[in-house]
Amino acid sequence: MKTVNLAGKLARISSHWDPHVIADYNDNDVMVVKFQGAFPFHLHEDTDDFFLVLKGEMVMELEDEAHPVKAGEIFVVPKGVTHRPRADQECEVLLIEPKGVPNTGDPATAAAKPRI
């Protein structure tokens, strides 16, 4: 057991859309990531998608609507809903998802999730 300094972990990341595992929670990965630009539309058939904006602002685009998500706010995308996060300026986000879930919903196009 130890504390995890989110700012310190995020300072080690220079890329965008590249989630890094910082802790385990039950059978979930707790990750930090930096967003800038738009991620591809995708969905997760079997799990919800959890986003907590730590710094900056993102927009969660769904098929027919868009939701701004500011620092200190959470957005949960229900399983099976097509979505994409977008950030005009760099933002920092904490993600929680079950271990082994590909960030794109497709193992062939998913980013690796290194531990830092």
Side-chain angles (χ1 to χ4, degrees):
M1 292 185 292
K2 63 181 178 174
T3 59
V4 176
N5 183 289
L6 297 175
K9 296 292 187 180
L10 282 155
R12 297 175 57 187
I13 300 172
S14 59
S15 56
H16 297 115
W17 309 111
D18 186 19
H20 288 70
V21 177
I22 58 167
D24 301 305
Y25 175 73
N26 294 323
D27 290 328
N28 297 290
D29 288 325
V30 179
M31 298 167 286
V32 290
V33 62
K34 292 181 178 179
F35 290 172
Q36 189 168 8
F39 198 71
F41 275 102
H42 65 286
L43 61 87
H44 303 274
E45 293 284 351
D46 301 318
T47 186
D48 299 338
D49 218 356
F50 175 97
F51 300 81
L52 166 59
V53 176
L54 301 169
K55 182 178 178 183
E57 182 176 337
M58 61 172 263
V59 175
M60 183 58 68
E61 295 180 345
L62 306 176
E63 291 175 337
D64 56 355
E65 53 191 79
H67 300 271
V69 188
K70 299 176 183 176
E73 296 181 334
I74 290 172
F75 195 90
V76 177
V77 179
K79 65 183 173 185
V81 174
T82 300
H83 63 283
R84 80 167 176 187
R86 176 177 52 81
D88 295 331
Q89 304 283 325
E90 183 177 82
C91 71
E92 298 176 349
V93 179
L94 183 132
L95 308 171
I96 302 173
E97 61 189 25
K99 292 182 181 298
V101 169
N103 67 327
T104 60
D106 179 359
T109 59
K113 297 178 188 175
R115 182 174 291 274
I116 57 171

